[in-house]
Amino acid sequence: MSDRPGGFWNRHAAYEELVSACTTLCQGEALDSNGQLRRSIDLAGNGRFVRNVIEAAEEEREYRLSESHGRNLQDLDEAQLMRIELSDMQNALKQVLGMLSTNGRK
């Protein structure tokens, strides 16, 4: 993860959004399918949750770039093509957390 301005995490804003969501999940508790009280991050799947969020953020980035640049992606440098913006992460978290909620988990 680059900490350079304009790097992969866009000045840490997207990273901080992910950390905040994970912190909330680590601190929260919910009942699992057997009625047992468990940490919300365990119900979300720990590493699988983070992987799903990153993959969704990458999809959001691709959508954002295609909407803003159309077929002119060759005009962008590697950092711009790789950068996950705050809005990408927010949309990804909304999507992945929404899937957890529809599966009876919060």
Side-chain angles (χ1 to χ4, degrees), residues 62 64-77 80-81:
E62 291 168 12
R64 173 180 47 79
L65 290 174
S66 69
E67 286 293 304
S68 62
H69 295 283
R71 296 178 187 240
N72 298 324
L73 295 179
Q74 68 273 10
D75 297 337
L76 302 175
D77 64 23
Q80 291 170 309
L81 292 170

Side-chain angles (χ1 to χ4, degrees), residues 2 10 12 14 18 26-27 32 36 42 57 71 73-74 85-86 88 95:
S2 174
N10 189 22
H12 297 290
L18 178 60
C26 285
Q27 294 172 346
D32 67 12
Q36 297 289 327
D42 294 331
R71 296 178 187 240
L73 295 179
Q74 68 273 10
E85 301 280 351
L86 176 60
D88 303 329
Q95 175 187 343

Side-chain angles (χ1 to χ4, degrees), residues 50-67:
V50 173
R51 185 196 70 224
N52 290 340
V53 171
I54 297 300
E55 288 174 354
E58 289 171 340
E59 289 175 12
E60 290 292 333
R61 174 193 62 213
E62 291 168 12
Y63 176 76
R64 173 180 47 79
L65 290 174
S66 69
E67 286 293 304

